[in-house]
Amino acid sequence: MSRKPTGDLRRGWTTGACATAATKAALIRLWGDAFPKEVGIVLPKGETPVFPLAFAEAGDGWAQVGITKDAGDDPDVTHGALIVARVAVSPGGVVFVAGDGVGTVTKPGLPIAVGEPAVNPVPRQMMRDVVLEMAASFGRAPDVTIELSVPGGQELALKTWNTRLGIEGGLSILGTTGIVRPFSCAAWIASIHRGIDVARADRVPHVAGCTGSTSEATVQALHQLPDHAMLDMGDFAGGMMKYLRRHPVPRLTIGGGIGKMAKLAQGAVDLHSGRSQVNFDQLAEWVARPELAGANTALEAYQIAGPALANAVATRARDAARAQLADADVAIDVVVIDRAGQVIAQAGP
């Protein structure tokens, strides 16, 4: 896990912003005389970053530019990746093509249709706007094919959630503002939302959100769930349940270790250690074991109190989650595991 740097964090630029800059620079060469040394674009909220070109080449009727992605201080898997746009004159407006390392959408539920390159709506609009701008500037028709590629993108995509979302063959070209904000909770929660969208579109009857890889493997095996039913909840139980309240699925399982499930049982919806803590006095009250008030961790409390505590945590976590889901038509169960991945308690729908 990446450690968050101290001090002020430097912002970066999304793959969508880099692709837009690369497209603009390539169009300047395609319709003009020479490549620029750097290129500026306008982001959706009006900011105007400037990008140096990492490489540029052209041929008869085409030009391509690579921009090196700078994600700032965010631990983004695409930091340092080369985002390449190859533009070529073609009839029929602006057409997007997935090149090497850029994925293709294979499941419904995403904002891009099945069969389309995994280039999200805002980056698409940014690139269309650049085509219109450059076409007007050079007196050309705004008819081009934009092929986007990310060398090594297929390997990088294995570190993302793309496969679960039904994006095959590489990375997505992403971004709604063009800006990468370091350690963004919003980006993680948005990915959870897309996972729910895909599951609903595929009519998956049962999804699961787990706090980590061990609990995820246990819950997936326990309920025999497919990969695309597994939501990357992490610490963001509240973000997941808030979305499910408005976009329900028939059944939800929440899984995790006793510490994070104890937090959920006590009403926390952000389970991160820096944003919520276990109340040991309350654990002691639940099982009438006063000595738990002096425990250092929930695991230590479990070692003292045993299954009685695990069962109390599971039941109360299920009830707390049920309250978060309000009147949504979602059956919910909770699975509590130990560090070895063994189930130590369950509370069913």
Side-chain angles (χ1 to χ4, degrees):
M1 180 177 293
S2 298
R3 187 177 300 278
K4 184 173 180 178
T6 58
D8 292 337
L9 300 180
R10 189 170 60 86
R11 299 180 309 161
W13 312 111
T14 63
T15 49
C18 295
T20 301
T23 297
K24 183 174 181 178
L27 288 170
I28 290 172
R29 171 62 178 84
L30 181 67
W31 288 334
D33 294 325
F35 287 107
K37 291 184 178 179
E38 57 185 22
V39 62
I41 62 171
V42 180
L43 300 181
K45 293 187 177 180
E47 193 163 347
T48 55
V50 174
F51 298 81
L53 275 60
F55 89 91
E57 57 185 14
D60 185 19
W62 64 271
Q64 68 177 357
V65 167
I67 300 285
T68 300
K69 179 177 171 179
D70 180 0
D73 285 326
D74 195 74
D76 191 314
V77 298
T78 58
H79 177 70
L82 193 66
I83 312 301
V84 180
R86 185 183 193 277
V87 298
V89 175
S90 65
V94 179
V95 177
F96 294 97
V97 174
D100 178 48
V102 171
T104 298
V105 176
T106 66
K107 289 182 182 291
L110 294 170
I112 301 301
V114 171
E116 281 287 307
V119 182
N120 272 20
V122 172
R124 284 175 182 250
Q125 190 58 52
M126 290 169 65
M127 283 180 267
R128 289 191 188 101
D129 290 345
V130 156
V131 171
L132 291 174
E133 175 193 351
M134 293 295 97
S137 177
F138 289 103
R140 302 296 184 109
D143 299 321
V144 294
T145 293
I146 303 173
E147 180 180 317
L148 299 172
S149 58
V150 182
Q154 190 161 3
E155 291 73 28
L156 288 175
L158 299 176
K159 302 176 183 179
T160 74
W161 301 324
N162 274 16
T163 300
R164 286 187 182 176
L165 295 175
I167 297 170
E168 301 291 344
L171 295 162
S172 304
I173 303 300
L174 299 171
T176 55
T177 65
I179 300 168
V180 174
R181 302 190 183 280
F183 293 82
S184 169
C185 296
W188 190 313
I189 292 170
S191 187
I192 295 171
H193 294 176
R194 297 295 76 79
I196 293 169
D197 290 342
V198 169
R200 281 168 51 86
D202 208 27
R203 299 187 182 278
V204 174
H206 184 180
V207 296
C210 299
T211 58
S213 58
T214 301
S215 56
E216 182 176 271
T218 299
V219 168
Q220 185 170 16
L222 179 68
H223 290 305
Q224 294 295 295
L225 296 173
D227 283 348
H228 59 284
M230 306 305 293
L231 308 174
D232 289 279
M233 180 186 79
D235 291 323
F236 302 107
M240 178 186 70
M241 290 187 288
K242 182 178 179 181
Y243 198 73
L244 283 168
R245 195 162 63 222
R246 292 179 285 121
H247 307 278
V249 295
R251 183 174 177 186
L252 167 68
T253 297
I254 296 178
I258 194 164
K260 291 187 185 291
M261 292 301 95
K263 293 180 186 182
L264 179 61
Q266 292 172 343
V269 292
D270 185 335
L271 308 180
H272 190 276
S273 59
R275 295 184 287 269
S276 60
Q277 300 296 324
V278 174
N279 182 331
F280 293 98
D281 290 334
Q282 193 171 53
L283 295 187
E285 291 175 7
W286 287 350
V287 291
R289 295 288 297 268
E291 65 269 36
L292 298 189
N296 286 325
T297 65
L299 179 59
E300 182 186 358
Y302 168 65
Q303 290 168 343
I304 295 169
L309 179 61
N311 289 328
V313 165
T315 300
R316 284 170 169 80
R318 178 203 60 195
D319 294 345
R322 179 69 267 164
Q324 286 291 323
L325 290 166
D327 58 355
D329 189 14
V330 179
I332 184 164
D333 66 288
V334 167
V335 178
V336 184
I337 67 160
D338 63 16
R339 288 185 174 177
Q342 299 300 308
V343 176
I344 58 175
Q346 288 180 263

